[in-house]
Amino acid sequence: MSTHEEHEITIPGRPAPQPPRQDEPHDGQAPPPKSDQSGPEVRTPTGARSADPQTAVAQQGTRLTTAQGTRLVDTDHSLKAGPRGPVLLQDHHLREKITHFDHERIPERVVHARGAAAHGRFESNGRGASITRAGFLQGGVVTRVFVRFSTVLGSRGSADTVRDTRGFATKFYTEEGVYDLVGNNIPVFFIQDAIKFPDVIHAGKPHPDREIPQAQSAHDTFWDFVSLHTEAQHHTIWNMSDRGIPRSYRMMQGFGIHTFRLIDDSGATVLVKFHWRPRLGTHGVTWEEAQLLAGKDPDFHRRDLADAIESGAFPQWDLAVQVFPDTEDQMFEGIDLLDPTKIVPEELAPLEVLGTMTLDRNPVNYFAETEQVAFHPGHLVPGIDVTNDPLLQGRLFSYIDTQITRLGGPNFAQIPINRPHAPVNDMLRDGMHQSAVHGGVAPYQPNSLDAGCPFLAGADENAFIDVPAPIAESRVQRAAPASFDDHFSQVRLFFRSLTGIEQQHVIDAYAFELGKCYEQTIKERQLRHLANIDESLCTAVAARLGLPTPAASIALDDVEPSPALRMVGEEWPVDGRVVGIVATAETDEAELTAVREQLHAAGVLPLVIAPTGGMIGGVPVQRSFDTATSVELDGVVVLTATDDRRAVAVLEEAFRHAKAIGIAEGAAEVLSSVGFDTDADGVSTGSASAVVAALLDLLPRHRVWQRAVDVPA
């Protein structure tokens, strides 16, 4: 959703709300956060709304002090015994400053360490009221949210555009307590039982001897594991698809992965799977773009999210559910709903939209918010409950355990970004980082010394009531049901549902990933699995590896393709798309201004590229030819001819990556400098306004796919 003001084009990326002075200031007031930023809503540690502004939790005053509030006259020199003498132990300021610095870092997440986040709101449309009593899903209710996106395998310093699963975790600050929907951008997982989670992560992480490769699965230990655990083949093929390298967090689906149980006011239950559907569509970057971005802008996804919000192109997702009857066997159309390696095709169970989420504010402080936010699938509210999915059951233990380790103790819910927006009276006491000051003398139940308070809530007071689900008579054993045994039919469904260009990208990904493995045995083992998925897939990958094509060991049954699994073929809004405008000092300022306004009016972010920085008339240059790169652009418009190879390289890369290109009349000479067919699809010429109009017609399809590769689209 765009919030563009007429005649005002925001250029995102300004580090502070006002330009700095040339000289060093010695007085004045620090500015507040930028207009696109917002910290957590100010609440007390026990959930009470505070009248204090958000700036009340920021640094106070204009004079440098110690942590205890004592003003300082010098912070550049240690206290010494003379100018050249030894530093004195009594220097309390030095010791406090260095000691705090030495303890600035907390353990990064073992998985999902590399993240970006934003504040927003979720507005329910009321359709969920018929299936759940959860208050935030009733009609017209608006709930504040905080969303963290992430990669899984890489460290905090890794690149954004690696081929990997992405986390999509949403914290709803509901009036009934915090609800966390902790999912991924892929609807299935590698494993069916949480006891294998350390194994799959150890296999995917860098090799323990060399600590390489970082943030990628193209290595022996990963493919050794997934080729020995065939249940991992479904998640793996999703990772090998274009979903493994999203264009943007704003253009990425999210899934709850597991099946959950919803309970209505009467106690009736249904089973559901949660889906986040981006209003901008689901799109990826090409493999070459991902590699270029890892070097030129490893922060591409977090920058894209922050810049879009700052420029007013607020990203939106619809929250939808697939609804299934809560039967005793918890099966639907032959699919075991407790198997986290399976999907239910949307053609069998259509999505029902329950509301829309809009992200409209960037964090003020990365550490305080994005790094310290603590998610947990067990943060539930009345009306939503878990199921016996064995992967989910393990997560219910693991998440709270890891938060205690990372955040220094059991009081992580009192960190401002995690504080509930509902009253808290939990009888939990003390512990590391306790910031509440509890009254009373009787933190136990029952009691009479505190007049019996806190009291238990009744069912009519929005209490959380565990669903009394029946447990079938059975025996304690380490086993999985027979319905978990089919590891290939849905993998085949996924591949055969893709368009030709998407299938080619999957083939390319397998060829690269397996080509990076050293051990021939691992490559051959994985090829045997590909033979059980699709013969054409296996044959193509085997040829790229220089290996024979193995025969399938199971019958390859025909499957009915699911068009919902495709990323290509529809049109989507262009809000927040980035279009480069190549201009020079000779460019007519009026024409440049008109093109910027034409793009901006369509919700597109114009990005002016010129030989040097500075201004073209009154228009600021955002990228010089030194800093411009095609991979941050969704399309290019050239207003003035140039034979500078840096600018030509931008055009040639954009063409190679199937992006729309417009060459205005005044830039026609540039056509002789580029090494591509200027009559090809998606390359338009004419007046400046005409080529922009043509480009805007192409942007909703993400790329000019018919130009991408010679396969059926």
Side-chain angles (χ1 to χ4, degrees), residues 579-584 586-588 591-592 595-596 599 607-611 616 625 628 630 633 635-644 646-655 659-674 676 678 682-693 695:
V579 171
I581 307 172
V582 178
T584 69
E586 288 72 40
T587 301
D588 180 75
E591 184 175 69
L592 175 58
V595 166
R596 290 181 80 222
L599 290 168
L607 191 147
V608 178
I609 303 169
I616 296 178
F625 286 175
S630 71
L633 309 174
V636 186
V637 174
V638 185
L639 295 184
T640 308
T642 176
D643 58 1
D644 192 299
R646 295 166 297 178
V648 171
V650 169
L651 291 174
E652 291 176 337
E653 286 179 354
F655 182 88
K659 294 173 180 176
I661 298 173
I663 310 293
E665 290 167 332
E669 292 178 16
V670 81
L671 296 173
S672 62
S673 302
V674 297
F676 57 77
T678 56
V683 180
S684 56
T685 58
S687 68
S689 62
V691 298
V692 171
L695 185 143

Side-chain angles (χ1 to χ4, degrees), residues 31 55 75 81 103 145 219 222-223 234 256 272 305-306 344 481 541 548 565 571 587 615 630 682:
T55 52
T75 191
H103 293 81
V145 298
H219 56 95
F222 173 81
W223 287 99
H234 196 188
V272 301
L305 178 67
V344 177
V541 175
L565 297 177
E571 295 191 1
T587 301
M615 306 286 285
S630 71

Side-chain angles (χ1 to χ4, degrees), residues 25 45 118 135 178 180 217 294 298 330-331 387 393 405 428 503 514 521 564 572 605 660 676 692:
V178 166
D180 288 346
S217 56
Q330 296 178 319
M331 302 281 289
T387 60
Q393 293 282 312
T405 298
L428 304 177
Q503 289 183 348
L514 293 171
T521 302
W572 303 93
L605 177 64
F676 57 77
V692 171

Side-chain angles (χ1 to χ4, degrees), residues 506-521:
V506 171
I507 291 168
D508 294 342
Y510 275 114
F512 174 84
E513 298 259 329
L514 293 171
K516 294 282 282 186
C517 292
Y518 181 90
E519 296 293 347
Q520 201 81 340
T521 302

Side-chain angles (χ1 to χ4, degrees), residues 54 168 190 272 289 556 627:
Q54 290 189 344
F168 192 133
F190 287 107
V272 301
E289 284 180 301
L556 299 185
T627 60

Side-chain angles (χ1 to χ4, degrees), residues 357-417:
M357 177 173 71
T358 304
L359 299 185
D360 54 12
R361 289 290 182 272
N362 286 310
V364 170
N365 183 275
Y366 183 94
F367 178 82
E369 300 170 76
T370 307
E371 187 64 13
Q372 290 196 118
V373 65
F375 296 99
H376 176 29
H379 291 164
L380 301 166
V381 291
I384 303 177
D385 206 350
V386 299
T387 60
N388 291 340
D389 176 335
L391 179 63
L392 175 57
Q393 293 282 312
R395 293 178 74 197
L396 293 172
F397 168 80
S398 179
Y399 276 69
I400 193 167
D401 186 48
T402 195
Q403 306 302 355
I404 290 173
T405 298
R406 288 191 66 249
L407 300 175
N411 291 308
F412 60 84
Q414 295 182 17
I415 296 172
I417 192 63

Side-chain angles (χ1 to χ4, degrees), residues 153-288:
L153 290 178
S155 67
R156 274 192 60 188
S158 58
D160 278 350
T161 55
V162 295
R163 182 180 295 282
D164 195 2
T165 306
R166 264 69 180 178
F168 192 133
T170 308
K171 186 175 289 291
F172 295 84
Y173 300 97
T174 88
E175 294 182 356
E176 298 172 313
V178 166
Y179 172 58
D180 288 346
L181 180 54
V182 194
N184 288 334
N185 72 321
I186 291 175
V188 292
F189 204 64
F190 287 107
I191 52 175
Q192 295 169 325
D193 192 307
I195 200 169
K196 292 184 181 180
F197 190 74
D199 300 314
V200 67
I201 298 304
H202 288 166
K205 284 287 190 177
H207 295 186
D209 54 351
R210 302 185 182 186
E211 186 62 11
I212 57 174
Q214 175 62 244
Q216 60 175 288
S217 56
H219 56 95
D220 287 82
T221 58
F222 173 81
W223 287 99
D224 185 40
F225 179 86
V226 300
S227 64
L228 288 169
H229 286 74
T230 53
E231 68 197 57
Q233 292 296 316
H234 196 188
H235 188 121
T236 300
I237 199 169
W238 281 73
N239 255 2
M240 295 303 105
S241 77
D242 290 341
R243 294 173 187 265
I245 39 176
R247 159 61 179 83
S248 164
Y249 288 136
R250 302 178 293 125
M251 303 168 195
M252 188 177 81
Q253 292 180 3
F255 302 91
I257 301 171
H258 310 287
T259 298
F260 292 86
R261 179 177 278 114
L262 300 187
I263 309 99
D264 68 13
D265 284 327
S266 70
T269 63
V270 294
L271 301 179
V272 301
K273 285 184 176 289
F274 288 107
H275 297 245
W276 287 113
R277 311 295 282 194
R279 290 280 183 92
L280 298 178
T282 307
H283 308 292
V285 298
T286 68
W287 179 229
E288 184 186 17

